[in-house]
Amino acid sequence: MKLYRLVPIPFLLFSTTYAGLVQPPNLVVPPAYAAVKAEVVDIFLHSYLSYKEYAWSHDNLAPLSRSFNEGRNGWGATIVDAMGTMKIMGLETLLEEAIDYSSKIDFSDSKTPDRVSIFETTIRYLGGLLSTYELTEEKYPALLEQARKLTDKMAYGWVGENNVPYGFVNFTNNEPQVTVTNIAEAGTLTLEWETLSKLTGNKTYEDLVLRSVRHIANLEAPLPALAPVWIDPTTGSFSGGYITWGGGGDSYFEYLIKHARLSNTDDNLYADTWLTAIDSSIQHLLRTSTVGNHTYLADYDSDQRLRFTSSHLACFHGGNFLYGGRLLDNQTIIDVGLRLVDGCWNTYASTVTGIGPESFGFITEEGSYTGPSDTISDEQLDFYNKTGFYPRSTAYIHRPEVLESNFYAWRVTGDTKYLERAASAVRSFDKYLRIPTGFPGVWNVNQPGGGLIDDTESFWFAETLKYLYLTFDDPSHISLDEWVFNTEAQPFKAPPPKPSYGSGIIRQPTGTFKLREGPPGPTYSDSPGARIANTPNRIRD
């Protein structure tokens, strides 16, 4: 196994020709893929028109029962989340209807007994409102006013002098739920809240979320810049030492470099922390399977032991490596990113349906440990010996991350193999998920007809179908050099890129990480009716 080290600093020289630009010039999608792009629009329309018929104003379509599910406080998450995709696809009639609805939502109270998740509300509702406002050239001021009202309520998550917000707020009495949160929830707010500050002129929103990210970034971690999942807003300290690029940790790392790009800040903390996290990941987490030599990032638990496991959620990392690698003009990061993209694509290419599972394990030269009570069944071992991974949770619930990274790989390299992969996914979705009333999820990607899931998450519309459409669309439309995507694939307008981001210097620890007792890492369940990913508050992105 070959490990890379980013730190001899001379290696991290910036190129004034390419640094800051992500896409190569004159990138063109071959005309043969126009039919695939049209099929993506058809999938969107089939899904959304079923939502309109059976679930309008509710959060999610339940396509099997021709009903609805409420997972995001009953405000119509699918409508708000899907608006940006409608605009990008040119579905203007549906967009006008969605804007009219979104402009009238009463965000003052939850329509379900649930508290309001600051993270999920930020990426889906706030992200959808602000992105649509920018995509429509600021023609709908009601969207901005809705965004402001919603964020004023979420701001109650910060209590007193706490740098880190609590994860949930009761919108009825504005009281937060006082409990531990995770770094993804506390660190995945910058793009949305700073965009709101830019558009309203109120710097308070930006100041709150940057306070949280700076605090997390400056805490000592078990591995340099690899913050563990759990954090206690009351004390400001990490709780436990579990590190993952999957649920609970993922989008904190994602937003470090994206914030640097969207803001063009001169504060090197964010880009340097991202670079250090990448360096630590390559040194300590990067592994390859003994069969097929597939690359992935292992988890690292509180016992300082690697867990040779990954997940669909974590598979955004390839795209994030590619994006940041281009911004920093660092070929090592780009090369590792492409290997991660390939490793995640293998989880699609190796299943009966051609669709990837929720979570998966690997066997490496060091073993197959995925947790203290986990064992590999004979069936899983047989699958591994054929494919180089084995499913730990077999479901697919509309996740975008593998196709998200595939989109970045296409836009960064121009290699048409990524177009072929995306086309294969479109065919698989159409063959195995389409029913007359929509596109449900599936319980087992290796057993066609083995059971469908009566739910369609809003991120199917916001992320999965948007990334697929943009893969086949003109690359100058929503260029990665002009827009920055939030973790829900809502694009925000970016200023022209700087010639370089960060100092190029790996951050060094200034103290020693002290382990405090905390929750274990994420777990997964295949039980029918259970939430697929038992990572608290996280079934996105």
Side-chain angles (χ1 to χ4, degrees):
M1 176 184 61
K2 185 177 181 182
L3 293 181
Y4 293 89
R5 173 70 171 159
L6 298 183
V7 254
I9 302 304
F11 179 79
L12 293 169
L13 297 177
F14 295 100
S15 161
T16 57
T17 303
Y18 299 110
L21 291 176
V22 177
Q23 296 187 185
N26 305 316
L27 186 63
V28 176
V29 176
Y33 291 99
V36 188
K37 185 173 81 166
E39 180 59 23
V40 178
V41 177
D42 178 75
I43 291 173
F44 180 94
L45 288 171
H46 184 70
S47 301
Y48 191 78
L49 293 178
S50 292
Y51 167 81
K52 278 190 63 178
E53 182 172 359
Y54 302 114
W56 179 257
S57 82
H58 299 283
D59 289 333
N60 297 346
L61 168 68
L64 302 181
S65 58
R66 303 186 181 193
S67 184
F68 58 85
N69 298 315
E70 304 287 30
R72 299 270 71 88
N73 304 99
W75 291 321
T78 289
I79 301 170
V80 183
D81 226 359
M83 288 193 297
T85 308
M86 295 174 192
K87 177 61 180 176
I88 288 169
M89 289 182 173
L91 304 174
E92 295 294 335
T93 301
L94 290 179
L95 177 63
E96 290 288 342
E97 179 184 50
I99 289 173
D100 180 67
Y101 173 86
S102 300
S103 299
K104 299 172 183 176
I105 298 172
D106 180 8
F107 287 118
S108 65
D109 194 14
S110 173
K111 291 180 171 54
T112 68
D114 307 314
R115 294 180 176 88
V116 177
S117 164
I118 294 176
F119 165 75
E120 294 284 6
T121 303
T122 290
I123 67 172
R124 304 196 200 206
Y125 288 112
L126 179 59
L129 292 166
L130 292 176
S131 179
T132 304
Y133 181 70
E134 291 199 319
L135 286 167
T136 55
E137 299 179 343
E138 304 182 7
K139 292 179 182 178
Y140 300 94
L143 296 178
L144 181 60
E145 178 61 15
Q146 286 285 75
R148 184 193 62 77
K149 290 178 181 178
L150 178 61
T151 310
D152 285 346
K153 296 286 283 186
M154 290 192 288
Y156 284 101
W158 279 265
V159 175
E161 298 301 314
N162 288 4
N163 290 314
V164 176
Y166 294 107
F168 288 80
V169 174
N170 183 328
F171 269 24
T172 301
N173 57 20
N174 299 325
E175 290 183 357
Q177 181 181 14
V178 180
T179 185
V180 295
T181 185
N182 60 59
I183 60 169
E185 292 183 335
T188 311
L189 310 172
T190 50
L191 303 188
E192 300 85 357
W193 290 50
E194 70 182 328
T195 297
L196 183 60
S197 283
K198 176 188 75 174
L199 294 171
T200 63
N202 185 344
K203 200 167 178 293
T204 301
Y205 306 116
E206 177 184 339
D207 289 344
L208 282 173
V209 295
L210 290 180
R211 198 169 94 196
S212 179
V213 176
R214 279 196 300 267
H215 179 86
I216 297 169
N218 282 314
L219 289 176
E220 292 302 332
L223 300 171
L226 287 176
V229 167
W230 305 107
I231 188 166
D232 186 344
T234 304
T235 64
S237 300
F238 291 129
S239 182
Y242 197 97
I243 295 169
T244 182
W245 278 78
D250 45 9
S251 45
Y252 162 74
F253 301 114
E254 175 188 356
Y255 270 35
L256 287 170
I257 192 64
K258 287 186 172 181
H259 162 65
R261 173 63 186 92
L262 183 63
S263 67
N264 274 351
T265 178
D266 292 325
D267 186 345
N268 291 331
L269 173 69
Y270 309 97
D272 287 355
T273 302
W274 182 84
L275 177 63
T276 306
I278 299 301
D279 181 65
S280 284
S281 297
I282 291 173
Q283 281 195 78
H284 301 291
L285 306 182
L286 190 70
R287 292 295 185 272
T288 56
S289 61
T290 56
V291 172
N293 203 37
H294 299 296
T295 300
Y296 66 101
L297 297 180
D299 287 0
Y300 180 90
D301 66 22
S302 296
D303 295 324
Q304 301 182 329
R305 188 170 181 180
L306 286 178
R307 298 193 182 189
F308 305 112
T309 183
S310 189
S311 65
H312 203 298
L313 274 172
C315 279
F316 85 97
H317 50 26
N320 193 241
F321 273 53
L322 294 174
Y323 185 71
R326 287 292 288 167
L327 292 179
L328 274 59
D329 196 21
N330 188 303
Q331 191 61 42
T332 295
I333 299 175
I334 293 169
D335 290 344
V336 173
L338 291 172
R339 289 169 54 193
L340 290 171
V341 172
D342 287 347
C344 286
W345 178 252
N346 181 56
T347 68
Y348 272 56
S350 301
T351 67
V352 173
T353 61
I355 302 171
E358 177 70 4
S359 66
F360 27 89
F362 301 89
I363 300 173
T364 72
E365 295 172 354
E366 300 145 278
S368 60
Y369 181 75
T370 58
S373 60
D374 291 350
T375 58
I376 302 177
S377 69
D378 290 342
E379 182 182 6
Q380 288 174 321
L381 183 59
D382 181 61
F383 191 94
Y384 174 82
N385 286 331
K386 295 175 182 176
T387 66
F389 80 99
Y390 62 91
R392 297 182 63 214
S393 176
T394 60
Y396 175 73
I397 55 166
H398 303 104
R399 294 235 188 259
E401 290 79 15
V402 173
L403 299 171
E404 170 186 353
S405 287
N406 187 74
F407 161 73
Y408 277 91
W410 156 245
R411 287 284 184 97
V412 166
T413 69
D415 189 331
T416 57
K417 75 178 183 182
Y418 302 110
L419 298 177
E420 282 300 304
R421 290 175 178 181
S424 171
V426 172
R427 290 191 295 268
S428 291
F429 290 154
D430 214 28
K431 181 175 182 179
Y432 294 107
L433 301 186
R434 182 188 285 264
I435 62 172
T437 52
F439 280 75
V442 60
W443 284 113
N444 193 330
V445 295
N446 280 311
Q447 293 181 3
L452 298 174
I453 301 173
D454 194 18
D455 189 52
T456 303
E457 279 278 358
S458 71
F459 50 69
W460 171 248
F461 303 92
E463 297 186 77
T464 308
L465 297 180
K466 183 185 287 149
Y467 282 128
L468 281 171
Y469 180 86
L470 287 174
T471 301
F472 302 109
D473 196 22
D474 179 355
S476 67
H477 183 215
I478 317 297
S479 166
L480 292 174
D481 295 313
E482 298 174 356
W483 299 84
V484 176
F485 289 87
N486 85 336
T487 200
E488 192 78 2
Q490 305 291 0
F492 296 124
K493 188 66 177 174
K498 295 168 59 176
S500 63
Y501 289 87
S503 69
I505 298 174
I506 303 296
R507 297 184 67 196
Q508 300 300 318
T510 58
T512 302
F513 173 73
K514 296 179 180 178
L515 181 65
R516 293 173 172 84
E517 185 176 349
T523 60
Y524 296 88
S525 170
D526 282 315
S527 302
R531 287 298 253 185
I532 306 301
N534 293 327
T535 306
N537 320 326
R538 177 73 174 187
I539 192 167
R540 163 241 179 246
D541 224 329

